[in-house]
Amino acid sequence: KMQVYRGEGGYPRVALLAGVMLPTGDAKANPALSDGSTDFLAGFAVTQRMDDAQAHFCVTYWWNGESESGADVKDMFIATASIESPLDTYWTLLWEAKAYIGETPDEYKRYYVCPGISWDNGHHFSIGLSAMIGVSGTGGGGISWLDYDWAPYMRAYYRFF
């Protein structure tokens, strides 16, 4: 993540995003910890302060490599919109919506809402817990081998600056 713009007063903030997922982990485990592919991600994020809360919007494109099993895992757009509402100095409520839109087949779409909560130590570290709840989905046919109605997930961040 690299900040490319910061408005007067600190907001809005615009950042470019880039990432690589290496084939680390056992593709034969249950559940699989990897699909054996090397994947790339690129996109941008915008953050805007709204009173005490912050709104985030992020769009990325995910290039999926060839999986170890030979499955045709398609590339996709991933978009998120979220609001962070602080409860106090350390705790924040998270309100997030996610969309996964596969490049092919044309009809692959998944939409989720993800309420959650996070704790920040006030310095550089934060950890959060959310529930990813499926709202609607269409298509598939090899893009995703795992679809679910809901799933818990945890995130942890360390900010170096």
Side-chain angles (χ1 to χ4, degrees):
K1 182 176 177 181
M2 182 177 76
Q3 185 171 290
V4 294
Y5 176 77
R6 185 178 185 141
E8 192 173 312
Y11 294 94
R13 295 179 185 167
V14 179
L16 297 178
L17 307 171
V20 175
M21 184 183 339
L22 300 172
T24 57
D26 187 357
K28 293 175 179 52
N30 188 9
L33 302 176
S34 171
D35 67 0
S37 68
T38 300
D39 308 328
F40 302 94
L41 172 130
F44 71 93
V46 177
T47 299
Q48 177 65 47
R49 181 163 296 286
M50 303 178 333
D51 295 324
D52 288 340
Q54 287 191 75
H56 307 280
F57 178 70
C58 177
V59 174
T60 58
Y61 191 78
W62 189 268
W63 288 273
N64 282 299
E66 186 175 326
S67 73
E68 206 172 80
S69 68
D72 190 12
V73 182
K74 302 298 183 186
D75 302 337
M76 67 177 64
F77 285 97
I78 304 170
T80 61
S82 60
I83 295 177
E84 296 180 6
S85 304
L87 295 172
D88 63 20
T89 306
Y90 301 105
W91 293 95
T92 301
L93 287 178
L94 306 171
W95 308 100
E96 187 172 51
K98 291 180 181 262
Y100 295 84
I101 301 172
E103 186 176 299
T104 55
D106 294 337
E107 296 302 311
Y108 179 82
K109 296 180 179 116
R110 298 292 185 271
Y111 301 101
Y112 302 93
V113 294
C114 310
I117 191 162
S118 70
W119 175 83
D120 189 316
N121 72 353
H123 298 288
H124 297 283
F125 180 72
S126 67
I127 189 165
L129 183 63
S130 295
M132 195 167 174
I133 303 164
V135 175
S136 71
T138 59
I143 291 178
S144 177
W145 61 271
L146 178 64
D147 285 315
Y148 43 84
D149 294 324
W150 77 278
Y153 70 95
M154 188 174 88
R155 65 183 112 207
Y157 299 106
Y158 184 85
R159 293 180 305 280
F160 291 95
F161 304 103

mmCIF file with all atom_site columns, all heavy atoms in Angstrom, residues 91-92 94 115-120 125-131 152-157:
data_model
loop_
_atom_site.group_PDB
_atom_site.id
_atom_site.type_symbol
_atom_site.label_atom_id
_atom_site.label_alt_id
_atom_site.label_comp_id
_atom_site.label_asym_id
_atom_site.label_entity_id
_atom_site.label_seq_id
_atom_site.pdbx_PDB_ins_code
_atom_site.Cartn_x
_atom_site.Cartn_y
_atom_site.Cartn_z
_atom_site.occupancy
_atom_site.B_iso_or_equiv
_atom_site.pdbx_formal_charge
_atom_site.auth_seq_id
_atom_site.auth_comp_id
_atom_site.auth_asym_id
_atom_site.auth_atom_id
_atom_site.pdbx_PDB_model_num
ATOM 1   N N   . TRP A 1 91  ? -11.692 0.620   20.841 1.00 0.00 ? 91  TRP A N   1
ATOM 2   C CA  . TRP A 1 91  ? -12.634 -0.252  20.134 1.00 0.00 ? 91  TRP A CA  1
ATOM 3   C C   . TRP A 1 91  ? -13.367 0.484   19.020 1.00 0.00 ? 91  TRP A C   1
ATOM 4   O O   . TRP A 1 91  ? -13.786 1.625   19.193 1.00 0.00 ? 91  TRP A O   1
ATOM 5   C CB  . TRP A 1 91  ? -13.643 -0.842  21.116 1.00 0.00 ? 91  TRP A CB  1
ATOM 6   C CG  . TRP A 1 91  ? -13.014 -1.788  22.077 1.00 0.00 ? 91  TRP A CG  1
ATOM 7   C CD1 . TRP A 1 91  ? -12.565 -1.515  23.330 1.00 0.00 ? 91  TRP A CD1 1
ATOM 8   C CD2 . TRP A 1 91  ? -12.737 -3.165  21.844 1.00 0.00 ? 91  TRP A CD2 1
ATOM 9   N NE1 . TRP A 1 91  ? -12.024 -2.630  23.906 1.00 0.00 ? 91  TRP A NE1 1
ATOM 10  C CE2 . TRP A 1 91  ? -12.125 -3.667  23.016 1.00 0.00 ? 91  TRP A CE2 1
ATOM 11  C CE3 . TRP A 1 91  ? -12.954 -4.030  20.778 1.00 0.00 ? 91  TRP A CE3 1
ATOM 12  C CZ2 . TRP A 1 91  ? -11.726 -4.997  23.139 1.00 0.00 ? 91  TRP A CZ2 1
ATOM 13  C CZ3 . TRP A 1 91  ? -12.555 -5.347  20.905 1.00 0.00 ? 91  TRP A CZ3 1
ATOM 14  C CH2 . TRP A 1 91  ? -11.956 -5.824  22.068 1.00 0.00 ? 91  TRP A CH2 1
ATOM 15  N N   . THR A 1 92  ? -13.562 -0.218  17.883 1.00 0.00 ? 92  THR A N   1
ATOM 16  C CA  . THR A 1 92  ? -14.231 0.352   16.721 1.00 0.00 ? 92  THR A CA  1
ATOM 17  C C   . THR A 1 92  ? -15.184 -0.670  16.120 1.00 0.00 ? 92  THR A C   1
ATOM 18  O O   . THR A 1 92  ? -14.823 -1.842  15.951 1.00 0.00 ? 92  THR A O   1
ATOM 19  C CB  . THR A 1 92  ? -13.190 0.754   15.652 1.00 0.00 ? 92  THR A CB  1
ATOM 20  O OG1 . THR A 1 92  ? -12.289 1.698   16.220 1.00 0.00 ? 92  THR A OG1 1
ATOM 21  C CG2 . THR A 1 92  ? -13.844 1.353   14.426 1.00 0.00 ? 92  THR A CG2 1
ATOM 22  N N   . LEU A 1 94  ? -17.050 -2.099  12.850 1.00 0.00 ? 94  LEU A N   1
ATOM 23  C CA  . LEU A 1 94  ? -16.769 -2.148  11.421 1.00 0.00 ? 94  LEU A CA  1
ATOM 24  C C   . LEU A 1 94  ? -18.042 -2.509  10.665 1.00 0.00 ? 94  LEU A C   1
ATOM 25  O O   . LEU A 1 94  ? -18.722 -3.458  11.019 1.00 0.00 ? 94  LEU A O   1
ATOM 26  C CB  . LEU A 1 94  ? -15.696 -3.205  11.131 1.00 0.00 ? 94  LEU A CB  1
ATOM 27  C CG  . LEU A 1 94  ? -14.396 -3.103  11.912 1.00 0.00 ? 94  LEU A CG  1
ATOM 28  C CD1 . LEU A 1 94  ? -13.539 -4.346  11.682 1.00 0.00 ? 94  LEU A CD1 1
ATOM 29  C CD2 . LEU A 1 94  ? -13.650 -1.852  11.511 1.00 0.00 ? 94  LEU A CD2 1
ATOM 30  N N   . PRO A 1 115 ? -20.217 -7.308  9.185  1.00 0.00 ? 115 PRO A N   1
ATOM 31  C CA  . PRO A 1 115 ? -20.117 -6.532  10.429 1.00 0.00 ? 115 PRO A CA  1
ATOM 32  C C   . PRO A 1 115 ? -18.994 -7.080  11.293 1.00 0.00 ? 115 PRO A C   1
ATOM 33  O O   . PRO A 1 115 ? -18.680 -8.267  11.240 1.00 0.00 ? 115 PRO A O   1
ATOM 34  C CB  . PRO A 1 115 ? -21.483 -6.753  11.077 1.00 0.00 ? 115 PRO A CB  1
ATOM 35  C CG  . PRO A 1 115 ? -21.939 -8.079  10.552 1.00 0.00 ? 115 PRO A CG  1
ATOM 36  C CD  . PRO A 1 115 ? -21.379 -8.188  9.167  1.00 0.00 ? 115 PRO A CD  1
ATOM 37  N N   . GLY A 1 116 ? -18.383 -6.198  12.073 1.00 0.00 ? 116 GLY A N   1
ATOM 38  C CA  . GLY A 1 116 ? -17.303 -6.665  12.930 1.00 0.00 ? 116 GLY A CA  1
ATOM 39  C C   . GLY A 1 116 ? -16.898 -5.633  13.956 1.00 0.00 ? 116 GLY A C   1
ATOM 40  O O   . GLY A 1 116 ? -17.525 -4.582  14.113 1.00 0.00 ? 116 GLY A O   1
ATOM 41  N N   . ILE A 1 117 ? -15.846 -5.962  14.666 1.00 0.00 ? 117 ILE A N   1
ATOM 42  C CA  . ILE A 1 117 ? -15.315 -5.092  15.706 1.00 0.00 ? 117 ILE A CA  1
ATOM 43  C C   . ILE A 1 117 ? -13.787 -5.205  15.674 1.00 0.00 ? 117 ILE A C   1
ATOM 44  O O   . ILE A 1 117 ? -13.240 -6.257  15.320 1.00 0.00 ? 117 ILE A O   1
ATOM 45  C CB  . ILE A 1 117 ? -15.875 -5.464  17.103 1.00 0.00 ? 117 ILE A CB  1
ATOM 46  C CG1 . ILE A 1 117 ? -15.537 -4.389  18.113 1.00 0.00 ? 117 ILE A CG1 1
ATOM 47  C CG2 . ILE A 1 117 ? -15.446 -6.850  17.529 1.00 0.00 ? 117 ILE A CG2 1
ATOM 48  C CD1 . ILE A 1 117 ? -16.385 -4.458  19.367 1.00 0.00 ? 117 ILE A CD1 1
ATOM 49  N N   . SER A 1 118 ? -13.092 -4.105  15.992 1.00 0.00 ? 118 SER A N   1
ATOM 50  C CA  . SER A 1 118 ? -11.631 -4.170  16.042 1.00 0.00 ? 118 SER A CA  1
ATOM 51  C C   . SER A 1 118 ? -11.121 -3.447  17.287 1.00 0.00 ? 118 SER A C   1
ATOM 52  O O   . SER A 1 118 ? -11.789 -2.570  17.831 1.00 0.00 ? 118 SER A O   1
ATOM 53  C CB  . SER A 1 118 ? -10.999 -3.587  14.779 1.00 0.00 ? 118 SER A CB  1
ATOM 54  O OG  . SER A 1 118 ? -11.160 -2.198  14.732 1.00 0.00 ? 118 SER A OG  1
ATOM 55  N N   . TRP A 1 119 ? -9.925  -3.835  17.703 1.00 0.00 ? 119 TRP A N   1
ATOM 56  C CA  . TRP A 1 119 ? -9.246  -3.238  18.840 1.00 0.00 ? 119 TRP A CA  1
ATOM 57  C C   . TRP A 1 119 ? -7.909  -2.708  18.353 1.00 0.00 ? 119 TRP A C   1
ATOM 58  O O   . TRP A 1 119 ? -7.188  -3.376  17.621 1.00 0.00 ? 119 TRP A O   1
ATOM 59  C CB  . TRP A 1 119 ? -9.034  -4.275  19.934 1.00 0.00 ? 119 TRP A CB  1
ATOM 60  C CG  . TRP A 1 119 ? -8.231  -3.763  21.086 1.00 0.00 ? 119 TRP A CG  1
ATOM 61  C CD1 . TRP A 1 119 ? -8.688  -3.042  22.143 1.00 0.00 ? 119 TRP A CD1 1
ATOM 62  C CD2 . TRP A 1 119 ? -6.828  -3.943  21.295 1.00 0.00 ? 119 TRP A CD2 1
ATOM 63  N NE1 . TRP A 1 119 ? -7.659  -2.751  22.998 1.00 0.00 ? 119 TRP A NE1 1
ATOM 64  C CE2 . TRP A 1 119 ? -6.501  -3.292  22.499 1.00 0.00 ? 119 TRP A CE2 1
ATOM 65  C CE3 . TRP A 1 119 ? -5.827  -4.569  20.588 1.00 0.00 ? 119 TRP A CE3 1
ATOM 66  C CZ2 . TRP A 1 119 ? -5.214  -3.270  23.007 1.00 0.00 ? 119 TRP A CZ2 1
ATOM 67  C CZ3 . TRP A 1 119 ? -4.534  -4.554  21.092 1.00 0.00 ? 119 TRP A CZ3 1
ATOM 68  C CH2 . TRP A 1 119 ? -4.245  -3.909  22.294 1.00 0.00 ? 119 TRP A CH2 1
ATOM 69  N N   . ASP A 1 120 ? -7.578  -1.485  18.749 1.00 0.00 ? 120 ASP A N   1
ATOM 70  C CA  . ASP A 1 120 ? -6.324  -0.836  18.364 1.00 0.00 ? 120 ASP A CA  1
ATOM 71  C C   . ASP A 1 120 ? -5.602  -0.461  19.641 1.00 0.00 ? 120 ASP A C   1
ATOM 72  O O   . ASP A 1 120 ? -6.194  0.141   20.537 1.00 0.00 ? 120 ASP A O   1
ATOM 73  C CB  . ASP A 1 120 ? -6.638  0.413   17.530 1.00 0.00 ? 120 ASP A CB  1
ATOM 74  C CG  . ASP A 1 120 ? -5.409  1.027   16.901 1.00 0.00 ? 120 ASP A CG  1
ATOM 75  O OD1 . ASP A 1 120 ? -4.376  1.156   17.592 1.00 0.00 ? 120 ASP A OD1 1
ATOM 76  O OD2 . ASP A 1 120 ? -5.483  1.395   15.727 1.00 0.00 ? 120 ASP A OD2 1
ATOM 77  N N   . PHE A 1 125 ? -0.579  -1.347  16.310 1.00 0.00 ? 125 PHE A N   1
ATOM 78  C CA  . PHE A 1 125 ? -1.165  -2.672  16.117 1.00 0.00 ? 125 PHE A CA  1
ATOM 79  C C   . PHE A 1 125 ? -2.680  -2.634  16.277 1.00 0.00 ? 125 PHE A C   1
ATOM 80  O O   . PHE A 1 125 ? -3.196  -2.011  17.197 1.00 0.00 ? 125 PHE A O   1
ATOM 81  C CB  . PHE A 1 125 ? -0.572  -3.662  17.134 1.00 0.00 ? 125 PHE A CB  1
ATOM 82  C CG  . PHE A 1 125 ? -1.109  -5.046  17.003 1.00 0.00 ? 125 PHE A CG  1
ATOM 83  C CD1 . PHE A 1 125 ? -0.746  -5.843  15.936 1.00 0.00 ? 125 PHE A CD1 1
ATOM 84  C CD2 . PHE A 1 125 ? -1.990  -5.544  17.944 1.00 0.00 ? 125 PHE A CD2 1
ATOM 85  C CE1 . PHE A 1 125 ? -1.254  -7.129  15.813 1.00 0.00 ? 125 PHE A CE1 1
ATOM 86  C CE2 . PHE A 1 125 ? -2.492  -6.823  17.832 1.00 0.00 ? 125 PHE A CE2 1
ATOM 87  C CZ  . PHE A 1 125 ? -2.128  -7.618  16.757 1.00 0.00 ? 125 PHE A CZ  1
ATOM 88  N N   . SER A 1 126 ? -3.392  -3.320  15.371 1.00 0.00 ? 126 SER A N   1
ATOM 89  C CA  . SER A 1 126 ? -4.834  -3.491  15.542 1.00 0.00 ? 126 SER A CA  1
ATOM 90  C C   . SER A 1 126 ? -5.213  -4.907  15.119 1.00 0.00 ? 126 SER A C   1
ATOM 91  O O   . SER A 1 126 ? -4.549  -5.532  14.288 1.00 0.00 ? 126 SER A O   1
ATOM 92  C CB  . SER A 1 126 ? -5.629  -2.463  14.726 1.00 0.00 ? 126 SER A CB  1
ATOM 93  O OG  . SER A 1 126 ? -5.469  -2.673  13.354 1.00 0.00 ? 126 SER A OG  1
ATOM 94  N N   . ILE A 1 127 ? -6.286  -5.405  15.721 1.00 0.00 ? 127 ILE A N   1
ATOM 95  C CA  . ILE A 1 127 ? -6.797  -6.736  15.408 1.00 0.00 ? 127 ILE A CA  1
ATOM 96  C C   . ILE A 1 127 ? -8.315  -6.657  15.399 1.00 0.00 ? 127 ILE A C   1
ATOM 97  O O   . ILE A 1 127 ? -8.913  -5.933  16.195 1.00 0.00 ? 127 ILE A O   1
ATOM 98  C CB  . ILE A 1 127 ? -6.268  -7.782  16.416 1.00 0.00 ? 127 ILE A CB  1
ATOM 99  C CG1 . ILE A 1 127 ? -6.610  -9.196  15.955 1.00 0.00 ? 127 ILE A CG1 1
ATOM 100 C CG2 . ILE A 1 127 ? -6.768  -7.499  17.816 1.00 0.00 ? 127 ILE A CG2 1
ATOM 101 C CD1 . ILE A 1 127 ? -5.824  -10.262 16.695 1.00 0.00 ? 127 ILE A CD1 1
ATOM 102 N N   . GLY A 1 128 ? -8.936  -7.369  14.456 1.00 0.00 ? 128 GLY A N   1
ATOM 103 C CA  . GLY A 1 128 ? -10.382 -7.306  14.341 1.00 0.00 ? 128 GLY A CA  1
ATOM 104 C C   . GLY A 1 128 ? -10.990 -8.661  14.044 1.00 0.00 ? 128 GLY A C   1
ATOM 105 O O   . GLY A 1 128 ? -10.330 -9.566  13.544 1.00 0.00 ? 128 GLY A O   1
ATOM 106 N N   . LEU A 1 129 ? -12.261 -8.796  14.340 1.00 0.00 ? 129 LEU A N   1
ATOM 107 C CA  . LEU A 1 129 ? -13.017 -10.008 14.086 1.00 0.00 ? 129 LEU A CA  1
ATOM 108 C C   . LEU A 1 129 ? -14.312 -9.612  13.390 1.00 0.00 ? 129 LEU A C   1
ATOM 109 O O   . LEU A 1 129 ? -15.015 -8.700  13.848 1.00 0.00 ? 129 LEU A O   1
ATOM 110 C CB  . LEU A 1 129 ? -13.314 -10.744 15.399 1.00 0.00 ? 129 LEU A CB  1
ATOM 111 C CG  . LEU A 1 129 ? -14.041 -12.075 15.281 1.00 0.00 ? 129 LEU A CG  1
ATOM 112 C CD1 . LEU A 1 129 ? -13.186 -13.074 14.502 1.00 0.00 ? 129 LEU A CD1 1
ATOM 113 C CD2 . LEU A 1 129 ? -14.354 -12.613 16.663 1.00 0.00 ? 129 LEU A CD2 1
ATOM 114 N N   . SER A 1 130 ? -14.604 -10.263 12.273 1.00 0.00 ? 130 SER A N   1
ATOM 115 C CA  . SER A 1 130 ? -15.808 -9.962  11.497 1.00 0.00 ? 130 SER A CA  1
ATOM 116 C C   . SER A 1 130 ? -16.491 -11.254 11.084 1.00 0.00 ? 130 SER A C   1
ATOM 117 O O   . SER A 1 130 ? -15.898 -12.327 11.130 1.00 0.00 ? 130 SER A O   1
ATOM 118 C CB  . SER A 1 130 ? -15.462 -9.171  10.228 1.00 0.00 ? 130 SER A CB  1
ATOM 119 O OG  . SER A 1 130 ? -14.945 -7.913  10.535 1.00 0.00 ? 130 SER A OG  1
ATOM 120 N N   . ALA A 1 131 ? -17.729 -11.139 10.645 1.00 0.00 ? 131 ALA A N   1
ATOM 121 C CA  . ALA A 1 131 ? -18.472 -12.253 10.069 1.00 0.00 ? 131 ALA A CA  1
ATOM 122 C C   . ALA A 1 131 ? -18.820 -11.878 8.632  1.00 0.00 ? 131 ALA A C   1
ATOM 123 O O   . ALA A 1 131 ? -19.395 -10.821 8.388  1.00 0.00 ? 131 ALA A O   1
ATOM 124 C CB  . ALA A 1 131 ? -19.739 -12.524 10.860 1.00 0.00 ? 131 ALA A CB  1
ATOM 125 N N   . PRO A 1 152 ? -16.599 -16.617 9.685  1.00 0.00 ? 152 PRO A N   1
ATOM 126 C CA  . PRO A 1 152 ? -15.857 -15.655 10.513 1.00 0.00 ? 152 PRO A CA  1
ATOM 127 C C   . PRO A 1 152 ? -14.487 -15.413 9.894  1.00 0.00 ? 152 PRO A C   1
ATOM 128 O O   . PRO A 1 152 ? -13.938 -16.269 9.221  1.00 0.00 ? 152 PRO A O   1
ATOM 129 C CB  . PRO A 1 152 ? -15.734 -16.381 11.851 1.00 0.00 ? 152 PRO A CB  1
ATOM 130 C CG  . PRO A 1 152 ? -15.771 -17.826 11.488 1.00 0.00 ? 152 PRO A CG  1
ATOM 131 C CD  . PRO A 1 152 ? -16.654 -17.938 10.274 1.00 0.00 ? 152 PRO A CD  1
ATOM 132 N N   . TYR A 1 153 ? -13.960 -14.227 10.074 1.00 0.00 ? 153 TYR A N   1
ATOM 133 C CA  . TYR A 1 153 ? -12.581 -13.990 9.676  1.00 0.00 ? 153 TYR A CA  1
ATOM 134 C C   . TYR A 1 153 ? -11.947 -12.971 10.598 1.00 0.00 ? 153 TYR A C   1
ATOM 135 O O   . TYR A 1 153 ? -12.611 -12.142 11.191 1.00 0.00 ? 153 TYR A O   1
ATOM 136 C CB  . TYR A 1 153 ? -12.435 -13.621 8.202  1.00 0.00 ? 153 TYR A CB  1
ATOM 137 C CG  . TYR A 1 153 ? -12.955 -12.268 7.781  1.00 0.00 ? 153 TYR A CG  1
ATOM 138 C CD1 . TYR A 1 153 ? -12.103 -11.169 7.702  1.00 0.00 ? 153 TYR A CD1 1
ATOM 139 C CD2 . TYR A 1 153 ? -14.284 -12.090 7.431  1.00 0.00 ? 153 TYR A CD2 1
ATOM 140 C CE1 . TYR A 1 153 ? -12.572 -9.934  7.290  1.00 0.00 ? 153 TYR A CE1 1
ATOM 141 C CE2 . TYR A 1 153 ? -14.760 -10.869 7.016  1.00 0.00 ? 153 TYR A CE2 1
ATOM 142 C CZ  . TYR A 1 153 ? -13.901 -9.793  6.945  1.00 0.00 ? 153 TYR A CZ  1
ATOM 143 O OH  . TYR A 1 153 ? -14.357 -8.570  6.545  1.00 0.00 ? 153 TYR A OH  1
ATOM 144 N N   . MET A 1 154 ? -10.628 -13.081 10.712 1.00 0.00 ? 154 MET A N   1
ATOM 145 C CA  . MET A 1 154 ? -9.871  -12.216 11.601 1.00 0.00 ? 154 MET A CA  1
ATOM 146 C C   . MET A 1 154 ? -8.848  -11.456 10.770 1.00 0.00 ? 154 MET A C   1
ATOM 147 O O   . MET A 1 154 ? -8.322  -11.968 9.804  1.00 0.00 ? 154 MET A O   1
ATOM 148 C CB  . MET A 1 154 ? -9.150  -13.063 12.644 1.00 0.00 ? 154 MET A CB  1
ATOM 149 C CG  . MET A 1 154 ? -8.504  -12.238 13.727 1.00 0.00 ? 154 MET A CG  1
ATOM 150 S SD  . MET A 1 154 ? -7.813  -13.282 15.012 1.00 0.00 ? 154 MET A SD  1
ATOM 151 C CE  . MET A 1 154 ? -6.209  -13.580 14.343 1.00 0.00 ? 154 MET A CE  1
ATOM 152 N N   . ARG A 1 155 ? -8.606  -10.214 11.138 1.00 0.00 ? 155 ARG A N   1
ATOM 153 C CA  . ARG A 1 155 ? -7.588  -9.408  10.474 1.00 0.00 ? 155 ARG A CA  1
ATOM 154 C C   . ARG A 1 155 ? -6.677  -8.805  11.527 1.00 0.00 ? 155 ARG A C   1
ATOM 155 O O   . ARG A 1 155 ? -7.127  -8.457  12.613 1.00 0.00 ? 155 ARG A O   1
ATOM 156 C CB  . ARG A 1 155 ? -8.238  -8.339  9.607  1.00 0.00 ? 155 ARG A CB  1
ATOM 157 C CG  . ARG A 1 155 ? -9.013  -7.332  10.423 1.00 0.00 ? 155 ARG A CG  1
ATOM 158 C CD  . ARG A 1 155 ? -9.710  -6.324  9.551  1.00 0.00 ? 155 ARG A CD  1
ATOM 159 N NE  . ARG A 1 155 ? -11.141 -6.548  9.677  1.00 0.00 ? 155 ARG A NE  1
ATOM 160 C CZ  . ARG A 1 155 ? -12.002 -6.256  8.743  1.00 0.00 ? 155 ARG A CZ  1
ATOM 161 N NH1 . ARG A 1 155 ? -11.626 -5.750  7.632  1.00 0.00 ? 155 ARG A NH1 1
ATOM 162 N NH2 . ARG A 1 155 ? -13.265 -6.480  8.925  1.00 0.00 ? 155 ARG A NH2 1
ATOM 163 N N   . ALA A 1 156 ? -5.411  -8.687  11.186 1.00 0.00 ? 156 ALA A N   1
ATOM 164 C CA  . ALA A 1 156 ? -4.437  -8.042  12.075 1.00 0.00 ? 156 ALA A CA  1
ATOM 165 C C   . ALA A 1 156 ? -3.541  -7.157  11.228 1.00 0.00 ? 156 ALA A C   1
ATOM 166 O O   . ALA A 1 156 ? -3.152  -7.523  10.124 1.00 0.00 ? 156 ALA A O   1
ATOM 167 C CB  . ALA A 1 156 ? -3.612  -9.097  12.796 1.00 0.00 ? 156 ALA A CB  1
ATOM 168 N N   . TYR A 1 157 ? -3.268  -5.963  11.733 1.00 0.00 ? 157 TYR A N   1
ATOM 169 C CA  . TYR A 1 157 ? -2.438  -4.985  11.026 1.00 0.00 ? 157 TYR A CA  1
ATOM 170 C C   . TYR A 1 157 ? -1.381  -4.439  11.941 1.00 0.00 ? 157 TYR A C   1
ATOM 171 O O   . TYR A 1 157 ? -1.631  -4.194  13.116 1.00 0.00 ? 157 TYR A O   1
ATOM 172 C CB  . TYR A 1 157 ? -3.277  -3.810  10.514 1.00 0.00 ? 157 TYR A CB  1
ATOM 173 C CG  . TYR A 1 157 ? -4.334  -4.178  9.539  1.00 0.00 ? 157 TYR A CG  1
ATOM 174 C CD1 . TYR A 1 157 ? -5.671  -4.186  9.912  1.00 0.00 ? 157 TYR A CD1 1
ATOM 175 C CD2 . TYR A 1 157 ? -4.027  -4.498  8.220  1.00 0.00 ? 157 TYR A CD2 1
ATOM 176 C CE1 . TYR A 1 157 ? -6.662  -4.515  8.999  1.00 0.00 ? 157 TYR A CE1 1
ATOM 177 C CE2 . TYR A 1 157 ? -5.001  -4.825  7.311  1.00 0.00 ? 157 TYR A CE2 1
ATOM 178 C CZ  . TYR A 1 157 ? -6.318  -4.840  7.706  1.00 0.00 ? 157 TYR A CZ  1
ATOM 179 O OH  . TYR A 1 157 ? -7.298  -5.162  6.819  1.00 0.00 ? 157 TYR A OH  1
#
